[in-house]
Structure formats: structure tokens, C-alpha cells
Amino acid sequence: MLGPQLIILVIQAIFSGITTGPGTVAFYDPTQGGGSMLDNAGSGGGEPMNVIISGLSSPQVLTDEGILHYAQAIGFSFECLGFHLGDPQSANLGDGNGWVNQTMELRQDYGNDEIGTCLESLIGGNHFRVYRQNGTAANSGALFLAVSQEEDVEEGHQIIPDGYNIGRDKLVANALGVNTHEDVTYSTVGQNITGLLAPGSVGVNHGIATDGMTVLLTVTMI
């Protein structure tokens, strides 16, 4: 069953036209185009994409540079010294692009957006992968984030118990309201959406159950 909020968003998508492009709809449900709200973690399971940056956000935020700057405003930054460890994960957002590798991975920066993520790599913390919905079949421009809280390096950066819900909630708590980074100010509002992710652990990486909630964030530069 689709949740009432999701039904409204689907109706909006239908009336705005599936090929209208970024800036006209918040997002398209990946499952309606043969995609999934779980990415492919390469281990037989997937990580839930539990936060969406709305396609109705300021266009600058939805670029690669823009999402990095916004992430830095809410406590995340690029990986330690720019190096990525581990294989990238992929997602199918139902936009006609099929399975596409993550655009980037950003980590909690512990108050320093230059080297703080090196600390996250050692002691663990929050992080997220970014996927962009921009195929010709569903070109919303929205960014789908797979957010999770992970263990330290000695635990192999495994996801902590309840780490998908915890990671999402921490990111959202940091994001809501007004944040500023390098003289750019962002106003963020959120909406909880049910019906995109199934609650439970079926198909979820590491068998970690989730509550099935996805948070839609609309970010406006002011």
C-alpha cells in the first residue's frame, strides 16, 4: 500500500509530466520505473536510500559541487584526503539509466571540513552515498542518499545496530532549519514519507531492520 504522502507525490509527478526535467517535481518513485529504494552493496543486500534531497530544491544545491557545500554546512565533507576505500555501490533510480555507481560518498567531519573525515575513518560516525535521478525516463534531478552510522576502523566500518535509522535521523536533525557555510545560507524543511521503503530487514545489507521511513528534504539557498 502506498502511504498518503507518497500518493500525493505520485499524482504531482503524473500531472507535471514524466519528462519535464529538474525543478518541476520533488522526485519519482524508483520502483515505478523498475528501480529500487535499496542500492546494491555488492554483498547480496542493499543499503536503504532513506533521505532524498528534493528536485524542488535550489538548483545549485543539486550539483556535485553544491551537494558537497551543503553537506559541509550540516557536518559532512569529502573523504579523508580525498581517498575512497572500498568499492563504490550502485543504485537504479528507475530513471532509465539502470544501475549507476554512486556520485560521491561524504562523511561526518567532526567540525573540520578539511581533515575531520579522517577522524571518522578511524573512530566511525555518520556517512552517506549520493545518487542522482536524472535519466530521461524520470529526470527529477533529486539526490537520493543512503545514510548510515558506522563502526570504527577496527570493526571494519560495519553498520552499527539500527545504523540506518540512526544515521538518517542524525543527518536530518543537523539539516533542518537554517545552516551557513562559507557565506552561503541554506534553509531546509523536511517531510516524512512512508510507502517507498518497506519496513524490516528483507533485502537490507547486514540484515539490519529499518522503520521504512524516508525523509524528503527541500533545501533553499537564501
Side-chain angles (χ1 to χ4, degrees):
M1 292 291 292
L2 296 178
Q5 294 165 317
L6 180 55
I7 291 173
I8 292 172
L9 289 167
V10 170
I11 292 172
Q12 289 173 340
I14 292 171
F15 281 98
S16 64
I18 198 70
T19 60
T20 51
T24 58
V25 64
F27 67 94
Y28 297 106
D29 179 355
T31 65
Q32 299 302 305
S36 175
M37 284 296 293
L38 298 175
D39 72 10
N40 181 357
S43 58
E47 296 189 347
M49 290 178 282
N50 46 16
V51 174
I52 301 172
I53 306 296
S54 170
L56 300 177
S57 299
S58 294
Q60 302 94 316
V61 175
L62 301 175
T63 67
D64 288 359
E65 182 179 10
I67 188 58
L68 171 60
H69 287 176
Y70 176 66
Q72 289 173 331
I74 63 172
F76 296 82
S77 194
F78 49 81
E79 294 188 278
C80 178
L81 304 178
F83 292 107
H84 175 70
L85 299 178
D87 295 329
Q89 296 182 12
S90 61
N92 182 346
L93 298 181
D95 58 1
N97 285 336
W99 291 91
V100 178
N101 283 346
Q102 64 199 45
T103 299
M104 66 182 71
E105 187 169 347
L106 300 172
R107 298 183 179 277
Q108 185 176 347
D109 67 13
Y110 289 98
N112 187 314
D113 59 26
E114 292 296 327
I115 61 173
T117 57
C118 296
L119 182 59
E120 194 278 343
S121 294
L122 290 174
I123 69 172
N126 212 2
H127 76 304
F128 63 91
R129 305 173 193 274
V130 181
Y131 303 94
R132 179 175 286 108
Q133 189 176 56
N134 64 353
T136 56
N139 185 13
S140 70
L143 302 178
F144 286 64
L145 313 184
V147 190
S148 58
Q149 180 88 1
E150 62 182 3
E151 304 275 11
D152 61 27
V153 66
E154 291 186 357
E155 298 295 329
H157 289 160
Q158 296 295 309
I159 307 302
I160 67 169
D162 201 28
Y164 297 119
N165 293 335
I166 290 172
R168 176 202 61 206
D169 291 348
K170 285 187 173 183
L171 182 149
V172 170
N174 286 348
L176 293 179
V178 176
N179 293 281
T180 300
H181 179 71
E182 293 184 348
D183 298 323
V184 179
T185 300
Y186 305 90
S187 175
T188 303
V189 296
Q191 177 184 0
N192 293 337
I193 297 176
T194 58
L196 285 173
L197 283 165
S201 61
V202 175
V204 180
N205 200 31
H206 306 300
I208 297 174
T210 78
D211 58 13
M213 186 71 70
T214 303
V215 179
L216 178 67
L217 298 179
T218 303
V219 184
T220 304
M221 295 173 62
I222 59 175

